[in-house]
């Protein structure tokens, strides 16, 4: 589904900032960074993991701390809950006739995982070689603080109206977001939306994210027997469920590694310089392991479908007996072309798994989660001002990129606010390792992010209806 990024601003006045104006804002942000960093570290210390298996009082504490930060900048703030985790909404009016900008981030975080995989305590932010390590230090509490820094940079004289929306359950698929948009959407109406939950192209090079892949997650269960039996007595005539499952999962790709499910959308990404050497370095691909799929690397990562087996339920190696297992399950994650209807993809996956069931095995497929991708028509005055703000902050033009991951809430905003220009920005870089061990934020890049957002608000402030 293509988002409409129309601009409702009828007339644009001169939005060029002078060199003095740019340097004044840059100096303000630089002076603010020690306190911005201290507040970011305080937020990062709150283990606001939104999964049910974690203590949700920490998510509440994170929401309350976020609300406190926004109130200190003069916003009218409320914490809202619509059957899910607490979200924070704050608003401050701008000058007469100025546009309203919605600033989005989320304050919940992923679980830390195995603490042994971390070089530092995941909830005690620690600087190492110019990077701040900690769970949520980048994804996405740095997004929260980038918005706060932009507000502080304008010191109570905001050139635009600002609404800040900080969600509390992005990491668990934003289940209550539709209800929040339905019941509180009037508070979030805006001319431009800045969604700070993506990444930049490289250290020293900013990016605007213009496409996101959709997602689909499903569990497939294979059954071959009504109970486990002796592998010696029956092996060779009766298929076991694990081997059968492996053969079925292997049909998800062709011999070149392209996804072989019929009915999925395949398109090419715009040409951009992203070679195999860079991919290998950023991904940690082991020497000798080949890439899979065909087409350009950006196409394989951003616009073509991907199929990944992310989990298998079967006896562990240590616990395995000499048994033909009667059943086995796997969780499949599909990443979909930004324009792919996820319901059509779900149908295609079901049909594929049924058609390729080995040896007449019983195959059951259960949908776990699905979400739309996003493709922005990234043209118009708001996008022009965003690119100019990024260029001013970094000293180099931004790159329009796609992201192979999925952020389903972006499409929810696009549907709710079809006339708003949606800017997907980010605080991360290719070495951030969001969701993994040793997540970190590049502090120099973070300052540029804060400068860019402050400049963007100034530029948009010159737009009048």
């Amino acid at each position: 589904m293509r988002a409409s990024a129309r601009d409702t601003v009828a007339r644009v006045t001169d939005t060029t900032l002078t060199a003095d104006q740019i340097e004044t804002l840059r100096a303000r942000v630089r002076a603010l960074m020690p306190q911005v960093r201290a507040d970011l570290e305080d937020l990062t210390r709150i283990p606001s993991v939104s999964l049910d298996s974690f203590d949700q009082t920490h998510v509440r504490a994170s929401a309350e701390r976020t609300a406190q930060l926004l109130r200190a900048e003069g916003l009218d703030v409320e914490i809202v809950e619509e059957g899910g985790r607490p979200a924070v909404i704050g608003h401050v009016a701008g000058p007469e006739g100025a546009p309203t900008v919605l600033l989005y981030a989320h304050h919940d975080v992923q679980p830390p995982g195995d603490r042994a995989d971390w070089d530092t305590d995941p909830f005690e932010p620690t600087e190492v070689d110019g990077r701040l390590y900690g769970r949520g230090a980048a994804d996405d509490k740095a997004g929260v603080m980038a918005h706060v820094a932009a507000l502080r940079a304008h010191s109570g004289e905001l050139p635009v109206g600002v609404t800040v929306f900080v969600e509390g359950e992005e990491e668990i698929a934003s289940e209550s977001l539709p209800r929040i948009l339905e019941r509180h959407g009037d508070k979030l109406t805006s001319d431009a939306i800045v969604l700070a939950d993506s990444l930049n192209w490289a250290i020293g090079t900013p990016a605007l994210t213009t496409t996101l892949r959709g997602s689909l997650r499903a569990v497939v269960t294979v059954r071959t027997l009504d109970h486990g039996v002796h592998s010696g007595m029956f092996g060779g005539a009766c298929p076991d469920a694990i081997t059968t499952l492996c053969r079925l999962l292997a049909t998800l790709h062709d011999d070149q590694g392209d996804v072989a499910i019929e009915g999925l959308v395949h398109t090419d990404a715009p040409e951009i310089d992203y070679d195999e050497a860079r991919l290998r370095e950023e991904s940690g691909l082991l020497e000798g392991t080949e890439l899979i799929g065909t087409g350009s690397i950006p196409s394989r990562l951003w616009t073509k479908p991907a199929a990944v087996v992310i989990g298998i339920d079967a006896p562990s190696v240590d616990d395995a007996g000499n048994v033909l297992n009667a059943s086995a399950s796997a969780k499949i994650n599909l990443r979909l072309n930004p324009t792919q209807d996820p319901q059509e993809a779900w149908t295609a996956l079901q049909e594929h798994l049924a058609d390729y069931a080995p040896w007449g095995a019983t195959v059951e497929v259960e949908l776990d989660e699905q979400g739309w991708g996003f493709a922005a028509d990234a043209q118009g005055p708001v996008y022009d001002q965003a690119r100019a703000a990024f260029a001013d902050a970094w000293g180099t033009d931004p790159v329009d990129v796609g992201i192979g991951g999925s952020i389903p809430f972006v499409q929810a905003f696009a549907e709710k606010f079809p006339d708003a220009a949606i800017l997907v920005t980010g605080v991360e870089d290719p070495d951030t390792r969001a969701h993994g061990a040793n997540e970190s934020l590049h502090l120099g890049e973070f300052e540029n992010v804060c400068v860019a957002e402050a400049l963007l608000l100034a530029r948009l402030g010159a737009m009048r209806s």
Side-chain angles (χ1 to χ4, degrees):
M1 180 177 292
R2 179 167 291 278
S4 171
R6 295 190 296 267
D7 190 349
T8 59
V9 179
R11 178 171 61 87
V12 181
T13 59
D14 182 8
T15 55
T16 301
L17 299 182
T18 67
D20 285 346
Q21 289 173 310
I22 293 170
E23 288 309 310
T24 295
L25 274 175
R26 189 190 305 277
R28 287 180 185 172
V29 170
R30 183 171 295 118
L32 290 166
M33 289 312 294
Q35 186 59 52
V36 169
R37 174 177 168 176
D39 290 332
L40 172 60
E41 292 181 356
D42 285 344
L43 269 180
T44 303
R45 291 187 180 97
I46 303 173
S48 52
V49 181
S50 49
L51 286 174
D52 286 333
S53 54
F54 288 77
D55 185 350
Q56 294 307 295
T57 62
H58 297 305
V59 180
R60 164 60 64 172
S62 182
E64 291 173 349
R65 177 58 179 148
T66 299
Q68 182 183 26
L69 289 166
L70 296 177
R71 288 192 186 102
E73 301 311 315
L75 279 68
D76 293 325
V77 179
E78 61 180 319
I79 296 176
V80 301
E81 293 181 67
E82 295 297 345
R85 309 296 186 253
V88 183
I89 299 176
H91 178 73
V92 60
E96 183 69 27
T100 297
V101 181
L102 174 65
L103 305 176
Y104 170 95
H106 64 87
H107 67 90
D108 66 318
V109 301
Q110 283 280 318
D114 189 344
R115 299 293 181 102
D117 293 334
W118 286 77
D119 296 331
T120 62
D121 185 330
F123 293 111
E124 180 51 50
T126 305
E127 181 180 353
V128 180
D129 295 331
R131 303 189 70 98
L132 187 67
Y133 286 81
R135 172 60 82 227
D139 183 19
D140 187 32
K141 291 177 178 178
V144 175
M145 289 311 304
H147 298 331
V148 173
L151 294 170
R152 290 176 180 173
H154 289 285
S155 189
E157 298 180 354
L158 280 166
V160 294
V162 171
T163 300
V164 180
F165 176 50
V166 182
E167 190 188 356
E169 56 184 14
E170 191 276 341
E171 299 293 6
I172 53 171
S174 305
E175 291 184 0
S176 71
L177 180 60
R179 293 188 295 276
I180 291 176
L181 293 179
E182 178 184 354
R183 299 174 188 176
H184 303 276
D186 58 323
K187 304 169 188 173
L188 305 177
T189 301
S190 54
D191 301 298
I193 302 173
V194 180
L195 301 159
D197 195 26
S198 188
L199 80 166
N200 289 302
W201 180 238
I203 300 298
T205 305
L208 281 174
T209 299
T210 59
T211 64
L212 296 159
R213 284 195 291 196
S215 63
L216 186 154
R217 202 165 62 217
V219 176
V220 56
T221 299
V222 169
R223 304 182 193 280
T224 58
L225 300 157
D226 64 11
H227 62 280
V229 295
H230 194 293
S231 62
M233 291 182 176
F234 296 99
C238 299
D240 70 279
I242 298 177
T243 300
T244 306
L245 176 64
C246 291
R247 289 180 67 91
L248 179 58
L249 295 176
T251 70
L252 295 174
H253 298 87
D254 64 20
D255 290 342
Q256 293 178 297
D258 285 313
V259 175
I261 302 169
E262 293 187 7
L264 299 186
V265 176
H266 298 244
T267 62
D268 291 327
E271 291 187 12
I272 194 169
D273 184 14
Y274 191 170
D275 61 17
E276 181 175 337
R278 176 174 176 174
L279 175 61
R280 286 182 172 277
E281 179 181 357
E282 292 178 354
S283 66
L285 196 66
L286 294 178
E287 185 178 354
T289 302
E290 299 177 357
L291 301 187
I292 62 172
T294 59
S296 70
I297 289 175
S299 294
R300 283 182 259 181
L301 296 178
W302 300 346
T303 60
K304 297 183 71 174
V308 180
V309 178
I310 59 174
I312 292 180
D313 279 345
S316 69
V317 171
D318 289 342
D319 295 334
N322 292 323
V323 175
L324 300 181
N325 288 280
S327 67
S329 300
K331 182 170 284 189
I332 299 169
N333 179 221
L334 291 184
R335 298 295 174 158
L336 308 172
N337 180 276
T339 65
Q340 173 84 63
D341 183 332
Q343 188 59 43
E344 293 178 358
W346 165 233
T347 299
L349 176 63
Q350 288 177 290
E351 292 177 350
H352 177 94
L353 294 172
D355 290 345
Y356 284 88
W359 304 315
T362 298
V363 174
E364 301 168 1
V365 192
E366 180 181 356
L367 180 63
D368 185 45
E369 182 183 300
Q370 63 178 344
W372 275 94
F374 173 74
D377 181 13
Q379 305 298 323
V382 171
Y383 290 98
D384 292 343
Q385 298 312 317
R387 292 185 176 99
F390 276 70
D392 288 340
W394 267 268
T396 188
D397 290 336
V399 178
D400 283 4
V401 302
I403 296 295
S406 306
I407 313 179
F409 70 77
V410 177
Q411 186 57 38
F413 278 89
E415 291 178 354
K416 182 67 177 180
F417 308 110
D419 294 324
I422 295 181
L423 306 171
V424 182
T425 67
V427 297
E428 300 174 23
D429 65 83
D431 199 32
T432 290
R433 305 187 188 187
H435 293 202
N438 298 315
E439 175 184 347
S440 68
L441 175 74
H442 189 287
L443 293 169
E445 292 296 281
F446 179 52
E447 181 173 329
N448 287 337
V449 169
C450 297
V451 171
E453 189 162 306
L455 291 171
L456 174 61
L457 297 185
R459 287 179 169 278
L460 297 181
M463 303 173 73
R464 297 289 186 269
S465 59

